[in-house]
């Protein structure tokens, strides 16, 4: 079968990839569509260290082909969106409803794929850039069949992370002010999360003026080209600032833009050794700096919720899919994503 494999030095679309059958508590999914996320590119450029060879992709949706013993919540033929949380469901964190903190879901890459008899790693417990993948049952979440799979795919990362950061982590409330630094795939979902939450002022910050129209479509009430311009709109600062780029100077800027009792939420992914500095006294007025993994999501609860918000017209998904690409055109999709020509490039099988 076809798949996108990174061998440690180059990315290649291969045709000789194999995947094993699902075991107990696992699901085999035929991938229909997968979004190309910045995290996939970060594996290739070394920002996210990951063992190779590896099948890339982690934002996908498809059709269940087979289920292993004990799986009852999905069946062959079901449409599913995939999450990256291979959480155990039995530890204290899972029991508290915090699957993103499950230690069994972090840093334990598996190798369900083979190529010419050699095991190949799975990225983010998912590997959606393959015609078929095997995931833990908890990762496969059924979605209504009237939700296009090219749109459903985006729920599994960009929506869970961006909208989840607003609703689950920051808990933005009605009438509050929000600043979103960076309007890529995650930033756009933060914008619409803020809109859904009822934020009154939603300021998008991006150096690319061509992104203003789409930012306003997703919920921005204002658009500015730099963080310095935010103070003209919010003289006392913002209740919530989301850093969605992953640059340490923007982390400091986010903290500096906070009003009293404000929160800076860090969603961008800087290099693992990056360090940010800021005046400690800037936090004394009940300000907070919040990390956020995967939107503090509970995928089995949140994915169906977001699917219903989409069906009711409140959550935008189709507008994120700027362009679809056959998987063979991966390099074109990669170039368009890196140059910012698309909000989200979606690979199709």
């Amino acid at each position: 079968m076809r798949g996108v494999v990174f061998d440690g030095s180059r990315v290649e679309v291969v045709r000789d990839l194999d995947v094993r059958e699902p075991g107990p508590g696992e699901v085999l999914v035929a991938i229909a569509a997968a979004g190309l996320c910045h995290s996939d590119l970060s594996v290739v450029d070394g920002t996210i260290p990951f063992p190779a060879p590896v099948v890339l992709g982690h934002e996908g949706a498809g059709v269940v082909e087979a289920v292993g013993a004990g799986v009852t919540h999905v069946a062959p033929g079901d449409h599913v969106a995939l999450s990256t949380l291979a959480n155990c469901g039995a530890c204290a964190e899972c029991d508290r409803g915090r699957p993103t903190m499950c230690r069994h879901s972090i840093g334990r890459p598996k190798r369900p794929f083979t190529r010419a008899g050699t095991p190949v790693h799975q990225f983010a417990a998912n590997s959606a850039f393959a015609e078929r993948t095997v995931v833990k049952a908890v990762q496969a979440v059924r979605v209504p069949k009237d939700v296009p799979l090219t749109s459903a795919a985006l729920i599994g990362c960009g929506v869970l992370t961006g909208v989840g950061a607003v609703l689950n982590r920051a808990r933005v409330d009605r009438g509050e002010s929000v600043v979103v630094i960076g309007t890529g795939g995650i930033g756009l979902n933060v914008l619409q999360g803020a809109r859904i939450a009822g934020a009154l002022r939603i300021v998008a910050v991006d150096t690319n003026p061509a992104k203003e129209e789409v930012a306003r479509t997703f919920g921005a009430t204002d658009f500015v080209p730099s963080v310095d311009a935010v103070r003209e709109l919010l003289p006392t600062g913002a209740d919530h600032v989301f850093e969605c780029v992953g640059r340490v100077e923007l982390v400091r800027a986010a903290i500096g833009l906070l009003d009293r009792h404000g929160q800076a939420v860090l969603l961008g992914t800087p290099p693992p050794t990056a360090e940010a500095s800021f005046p400690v006294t800037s936090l004394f007025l009940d300000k907070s700096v919040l990390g956020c993994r995967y939107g503090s999501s509970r995928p089995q609860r949140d994915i169906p919720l977001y699917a219903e918000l989409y069906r009711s017209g409140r959550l935008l998904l189709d507008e994120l899919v700027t362009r679809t690409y056959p998987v063979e055109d991966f390099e074109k999709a990669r170039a368009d994503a890196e140059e910012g020509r698309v909000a989200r490039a979606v690979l199709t099988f």
Side-chain angles (χ1 to χ4, degrees):
M1 68 179 185
R2 294 168 295 168
V4 180
V5 176
F6 176 58
D7 66 5
S9 59
R10 61 189 291 265
V11 181
E12 182 182 4
V13 180
V14 305
R15 292 180 172 272
D16 58 350
L17 196 65
D18 293 303
V19 66
R20 63 171 173 77
E21 292 296 311
E26 293 181 334
V27 177
L28 175 67
V29 179
I31 298 295
L36 177 55
C37 177
H38 184 72
S39 295
D40 299 306
L41 303 178
S42 294
V43 174
V44 177
D45 67 22
T47 301
I48 296 178
F50 205 88
V54 57
V55 180
L56 297 174
H58 64 286
E59 185 181 73
V63 180
V64 174
E65 280 202 350
V67 300
V71 177
T72 59
H73 74 290
V74 293
D78 284 345
H79 287 198
V80 292
L82 302 182
S83 85
T84 66
L85 286 182
N87 57 294
C88 70
C91 68
E93 297 294 353
C94 287
D95 192 52
R96 294 187 184 104
R98 298 194 298 226
T100 56
M101 296 296 103
C102 174
R103 298 182 189 276
H104 294 274
S105 70
I106 304 173
R108 299 188 181 191
K110 296 184 178 180
R111 296 192 290 180
F113 302 98
T114 56
R115 188 181 178 205
T118 300
V120 180
H121 286 95
Q122 186 174 39
F123 179 55
N126 190 308
S127 288
F129 292 171
E131 288 188 72
R132 292 173 182 81
T133 190
V134 170
V135 297
K136 289 186 66 172
V138 72
Q139 296 175 253
V141 185
R142 187 169 55 240
V143 294
K145 291 186 178 180
D146 60 355
V147 178
L149 289 172
T150 49
S151 296
L154 305 184
I155 300 177
C157 178
V159 175
L160 282 176
T161 299
V163 178
V166 174
L167 302 182
N168 301 328
R169 187 67 169 124
R171 299 184 182 275
V172 173
D173 202 357
R174 298 179 302 278
E176 293 186 323
S177 57
V178 171
V179 174
V180 182
I181 302 174
T183 58
I186 299 300
L188 291 176
N189 279 297
V190 173
L191 288 172
Q192 69 172 334
R195 169 177 52 78
I196 291 169
L200 185 62
R201 200 77 181 267
I202 306 172
V203 181
V205 182
D206 203 293
T207 57
N208 185 353
K211 293 186 176 183
E212 179 172 0
E213 182 179 356
V214 69
R216 290 186 180 275
T217 297
F218 275 77
T221 60
D222 303 272
F223 184 95
V224 294
S226 70
V227 291
D228 295 333
V230 174
R231 283 289 181 181
E232 298 177 14
L233 301 173
L234 300 171
T236 63
D239 296 310
H240 308 274
V241 181
F242 295 82
E243 200 283 333
C244 305
V245 180
R247 289 169 48 184
V248 293
E249 65 271 25
L250 294 179
V251 171
R252 177 166 181 159
I255 296 169
L257 288 173
L258 294 176
D259 196 355
R260 299 183 179 195
H261 65 74
Q263 298 180 132
V265 184
L266 310 185
L267 298 177
T269 307
T273 57
E275 297 182 359
S277 63
F278 53 87
V280 176
T281 54
S282 65
L283 298 181
F284 285 174
L285 293 174
D286 287 358
K287 300 178 185 180
S288 305
V289 181
L290 304 180
C292 183
R293 181 175 187 240
Y294 204 42
S296 300
S297 298
R298 296 163 64 181
Q300 289 288 341
R301 176 200 66 176
D302 292 347
I303 290 177
L305 168 63
Y306 298 151
E308 290 304 316
L309 287 172
Y310 164 80
R311 297 173 82 196
S312 69
R314 296 176 62 193
L315 182 81
L316 305 182
L317 292 178
D318 303 339
E319 293 81 358
L320 279 170
V321 185
T322 309
R323 182 176 174 184
T324 60
Y325 305 75
V327 67
E328 290 81 5
D329 291 344
F330 173 79
E331 287 300 334
K332 172 61 175 171
R334 175 184 174 183
D336 286 349
E338 289 180 330
E339 294 298 322
R341 291 190 286 267
V342 294
R344 208 55 148 196
V346 176
L347 301 179
T348 58
F349 291 87

